[in-house]
Structures are given as structure tokens and as C-alpha cells.
Amino acid sequence: MKYRAIKGVKDILPGETEKWYFIEKNARDLFETFGFSEIRIPIIEKTALFARGIGETTDIVEKEMYSFEDKGGESITLRPEGTASVVRAYIEHGLYNNHSLTKLYYMGPMFRHERPQAGRYRQFYQIGAEIFGEDSPSIDADIITLLMDLFKRLGLNNIELQLNSLGCERCRPVFRESLVDFLKKRLPMLCEDCNRRFERNPLRVLDCKSKTCSEVMRDSPGMEGSRCEKCQRHLDGVIEYLLIAGIRYILNPRLARGLDYYTRTTFEITDKRLGAQNAIAGGGRYDSLVKDFGGPQISAIGFAIGVERIVSLIDMGDKVIPGSSPEVYIAALGEEANRMAFDLLRQIRLRGIRCETSYSDQRFVPKKSLKSQMKKANQYGVSYTLIIGDNELRNGKVILRDMKKAEQEEVDIEDIVKVLVERIG
Ligand code: AMP
């Protein structure tokens, strides 16, 4: 074959797309209920936006960005995530002037030049949400509740919510120091990447997925020993509200996440069945990013969901999504019958019933026998087939065949749409 999709990038084919609609529709419905509006952010941004926002020493910025120079000599990057763009847009358009609380969501492709493996792609899709303008821990619990409610709607029942607080600019350095002390003695046991991370951004070592590093890190100090009183109180508040919402969580003091902008609350939703790439969503609070980007001091919190991984869970049987295969097939035999088939096709579809026909017309295409048309109806797996012949038409009738019962009857042509609506609903 001459052309193939490039490595780590995949087509989403019919049969799959129904699952994507199902996920997106449920997300949109729930976002609306929770008072969110959609924002459509560009796919390209200036490279500096991500370098500054995500953090110069994160894996994403150091190794994974698709960056290029455009014809004007400017360094441009295909977005690796959504938050930096949403924050930029929020400031650029002064959205904080409209409401004290701003709730935004987005959906679309992200690009990271990672090593492709099951559940990890170079172009992948995220559904994300951000809330600006509220410091109360109840908003943290609210956005986590939204996420968990969405997963419940999608039928995901084996997921775990991991929760941590990474503290603030006062207590995180204390944690960093205790981590550095711990890591210093174990550098030879850590992978090459983590040795580099140790120099530049030791917190990143917590995020390493390599087996040996995760084993070493099992005994590492967690954030709980370093958190300041205010940050601890905030975390306790989040937990209190999560309990009111009936959301179960696991405290994970070593949950770091791969982006630098998080402060205080961080969380990740995982499903063990996904293996190494088991996170289906992650997020947290980022109280200084708006200010860092040149905006006012406004706190924010958000999350991003990995859509491909949700689709994998749906494939594991968590939910059966109805496909879009037709429910009715129209077979036509004869010139008048062909025209009637086309008319009925339209009328039936207008009533919201999925319908296909053979498009037979001997004047343009070879004759299609009843046998071949019935074969097609069987391939489609329809519940009903309408058989229209010129003879029946002369008496104002069509044949309605119930494919499951293998029974057929004559129905008046004026009644046929009504009868189908009654039977299919
Ligand atoms: P992040 O933006 O890194 O916090 O990721 C949020 C979610 O996006 C993760 O929990 C994954 O579900 C998904 N995700 C991140 N990177 C990839 C990738 N390379 N391929 C597929 N999904 C990804």
C-alpha cells in the first residue's frame, strides 16, 4: 500500500465513531447542567505559551512537542494540552470581566511526540474543563463530582479516584527538599531520564512510569509530611465535600502529574484494566497560572479526559452503544416501484427511522433481483424490509416483511410509514 497513517496517529472509523458521539454527547449534556460553556481554542499556539505554561522542565516541553518554524520564522507548536490555551484566551478576551465565576469546556485533538504504545498516541483527543474564579474547596469537589458523574453515565464502574494536594509555593519547596534528600542516595537505581529529572525538576521522578523507578519511589516521602496548615485545611475541605457527594477517593501523597502548573488539589482517575497507561483523566488546581500569564490573581481548577482510553473501556464491555445500522430496508422491483422506494425512503427517514434502499433503477444500473436485494437487507440486519413491486403498487399496497419472524403481510401504502413508526417507535 502506498500511504498509511503516520505512527501514533489513527483513524476513527465508522463503528467506533458512535462511541465517540456517545461520550461527547454525555459530556456536553453534563457540562450544560453544571453551567459550563464551550470554548474552541486553536490547534496551534506560540511555542513559548506551552513552554511557560506547562513548565520548561516537564517531559512534554522537553521532549514531546510538535514544534516548527512557520514561514514568518515564528516558533509554533501543535497544542499538547488545552489548559494553557484556555488561560491565554481567558486573559486575552478579558473573560474575567463578565462573571466572577467562569466555567469553560473544550474537546479536540492534542499532539505529543511520545513513544506510541497501547493507549498512548501522538495525536489523541481530550475533553477538558476549567473553572476560573473560586478558591473554595467545594468547587474542587464540584468539578471532581462532574467528572465522576460523567464516568457513571458512560457506564465505567471500575475506576478509582486518586487525590493529592501538591501544596503551594510555601510548602512545596519543603517537599521538594525532602524528595531531593531521598533521591540523592538512590540515583544509581533510577533510570537515565530520572537522573536528568533529579537535576532539573525532581518532582517529575514521582511521575516516572518505569518499573524500577516506581519501585524505588514506593518508599519516597509523600506530600503529606510537608504540607502547610492552609493547604492541609483546603485538602480536608475537598474531602469533606466529596463525602457529601458520595464520591469515593484514594489519598495518594505521591501523585504528582506531568505538568508544572498545579497547586494544591491534584487528582487522577485510573482503571487498572488499561495496564501501563491506566489514567483516563487528570486535573487539579492552578492558582498562579493566570497571574503568571499576565492576568489578575485568579484561581482556577480543571481536568482533561483521554477519550481513546474511555473508548477502550467501553470496548471492554462497560457499555453497549447502539450502532447506526439501518432498521428498515426497501427493496424495489419495477420502474414505478423505484420511484415509490425513493419517496418512502425520505418519508421514513423524516420520522427518524434509519432506512436504506437498493437504489435500483434499470435505466442507469444493472437490474437488481429481489434475491440480491433481500441478501443486502440481511447483511444490514434490518428488522423490517419493504418489498415494493409494480403489481402490488397498482392495488395501493406494499409488502412488509418482519425479518426476525420471517413473516410478511400486505399493507396499504398510505399506512406504511405509520405502521413502521408504531412498530419501531
Ligand atoms: P494530561 O494532559 O497529561 O494530564 O492527560 C490527561 C489525560 O489525557 C490522561 O489521563 C490520558 O487519559 C490522556 N492522555 C495523555 N496523553 C495521552 C497520549 N499520548 N495518548 C492517549 N491519551 C493520552
Side-chain angles (χ1 to χ4, degrees):
M1 209 194 108
K2 203 164 175 186
Y3 300 112
R4 305 187 81 91
I6 60 177
K7 206 174 158 193
V9 169
K10 63 169 193 166
D11 301 302
I12 301 155
L13 300 174
E16 285 271 287
T17 40
E18 288 78 7
K19 295 169 208 159
W20 287 68
Y21 292 149
F22 171 75
I23 296 166
E24 287 163 4
K25 183 177 183 312
N26 274 287
R28 282 186 200 283
D29 287 351
L30 209 57
F31 281 136
E32 215 167 275
T33 311
F34 276 72
F36 284 74
S37 306
E38 186 180 4
I39 180 166
R40 298 199 180 188
I41 43 175
I43 285 180
I44 49 173
E45 295 272 4
K46 289 182 186 168
T47 302
L49 177 88
F50 298 118
R52 179 77 198 277
I54 299 168
E56 295 277 3
T57 54
T58 56
D59 281 2
I60 296 179
V61 173
E62 277 190 342
K63 302 191 292 196
E64 297 167 2
M65 294 209 295
Y66 279 92
S67 301
F68 60 95
E69 222 173 72
D70 73 359
K71 293 205 163 63
E74 185 146 44
S75 181
I76 302 287
T77 294
L78 297 183
R79 62 183 186 199
E81 57 106 57
T83 303
S85 302
V86 176
V87 173
R88 179 205 40 75
Y90 175 75
I91 301 168
E92 188 170 334
H93 304 287
L95 299 185
Y96 44 85
N97 293 325
N98 305 342
H99 299 284
S100 58
L101 194 64
T102 307
K103 300 183 186 182
L104 303 170
Y105 77 90
Y106 59 85
M107 300 182 175
M110 305 295 161
F111 305 84
R112 293 182 196 173
H113 197 273
E114 293 189 86
R115 198 165 44 78
Q117 62 180 88
R120 191 158 75 184
Y121 305 97
R122 290 182 170 171
Q123 175 174 335
F124 60 98
Y125 287 75
Q126 286 188 338
I127 298 176
E130 318 286 351
I131 301 180
F132 296 91
E134 182 54 66
D135 283 313
S136 166
S138 55
I139 203 93
D140 306 29
D142 198 34
I143 201 166
I144 294 173
T145 305
L146 158 61
L147 194 55
M148 299 306 274
D149 282 355
L150 175 60
F151 290 149
K152 199 188 272 172
R153 277 194 190 197
L154 300 179
L156 313 185
N157 297 316
N158 294 296
I159 55 174
E160 280 177 0
L161 163 65
Q162 312 223 13
L163 183 68
N164 191 18
S165 165
L166 286 174
C168 59
E169 72 274 15
R170 259 171 299 126
C171 56
R172 199 189 304 192
V174 180
F175 173 51
R176 192 189 142 108
E177 220 164 278
S178 65
L179 198 61
V180 167
D181 268 353
F182 173 86
L183 292 173
K184 235 189 293 183
K185 297 166 207 143
R186 294 167 176 83
L187 285 178
M189 287 144 82
L190 299 176
C191 72
E192 205 178 298
D193 273 345
C194 281
N195 272 274
R196 198 170 36 84
R197 289 175 183 133
F198 172 77
E199 294 297 333
R200 292 166 62 88
N201 191 345
L203 250 71
R204 290 278 74 80
V205 180
L206 285 168
D207 228 21
C208 183
K209 298 279 185 278
S210 103
K211 232 184 179 165
T212 44
C213 294
S214 343
E215 242 155 62
V216 173
M217 295 314 282
R218 214 172 281 160
D219 303 322
S220 74
M223 185 64 210
E224 75 276 36
S226 315
R227 227 171 268 138
C228 68
E229 199 202 322
K230 266 183 143 176
C231 287
Q232 186 60 48
R233 272 224 326 266
H234 186 94
L235 178 61
D236 293 343
V238 177
I239 290 170
E240 193 183 318
Y241 285 106
L242 283 177
L243 289 175
I244 294 174
I247 306 278
R248 283 201 282 188
Y249 62 91
I250 298 166
L251 273 183
N252 177 357
R254 290 177 193 83
L255 177 70
R257 319 255 312 108
L259 308 103
D260 270 356
Y261 47 64
Y262 290 120
T263 51
R264 291 197 169 161
T265 312
T266 46
F267 51 92
E268 198 159 82
I269 321 285
T270 54
D271 191 312
K272 287 196 187 87
R273 290 175 298 166
L274 289 175
Q277 304 299 320
N278 66 359
I280 56 172
R285 198 168 249 291
Y286 49 96
D287 289 343
S288 14
L289 195 59
V290 177
K291 189 145 190 248
D292 286 351
F293 274 13
Q297 173 51 52
I298 292 178
S299 306
I301 182 163
F303 65 70
I305 302 170
V307 182
E308 285 81 358
R309 296 185 192 174
I310 309 292
V311 173
S312 304
L313 290 177
I314 288 175
D315 284 342
M316 288 176 193
D318 274 1
K319 193 94 181 176
V320 178
I321 314 293
S324 62
S325 53
E327 296 150 297
V328 177
Y329 186 80
I330 307 177
L333 290 162
E335 261 185 49
E336 196 48 40
N338 293 337
R339 278 190 283 276
M340 181 51 76
F342 196 74
D343 186 13
L344 283 177
L345 177 70
R346 183 156 182 282
Q347 288 188 47
I348 293 167
R349 283 177 175 166
L350 279 175
R351 303 302 294 267
I353 295 173
R354 295 191 297 271
C355 185
E356 284 298 332
T357 182
S358 55
Y359 297 100
S360 65
D361 188 332
Q362 262 171 272
R363 291 171 306 165
F364 302 100
V365 290
K367 187 171 178 198
K368 295 176 182 172
S369 66
L370 180 61
K371 198 171 160 207
S372 73
Q373 295 186 57
M374 292 310 287
K375 199 171 154 198
K376 199 84 195 164
N378 273 318
Q379 279 170 357
Y380 275 126
V382 293
S383 311
Y384 294 96
T385 302
L386 292 186
I387 304 164
I388 311 179
D390 282 352
N391 280 345
E392 287 85 3
L393 267 189
R394 270 191 283 279
N395 304 324
K397 305 268 186 199
V398 292
I399 295 170
L400 174 62
R401 184 174 175 84
D402 183 322
M403 302 295 279
K404 278 191 201 100
K405 292 190 190 147
E407 289 168 5
Q408 58 189 50
E409 64 193 293
E410 283 197 345
V411 179
D412 283 344
I413 218 153
E414 298 100 78
D415 296 336
I416 187 64
V417 178
K418 201 175 80 202
V419 169
L420 282 171
V421 171
E422 276 165 15
R423 299 214 182 158
I424 296 172

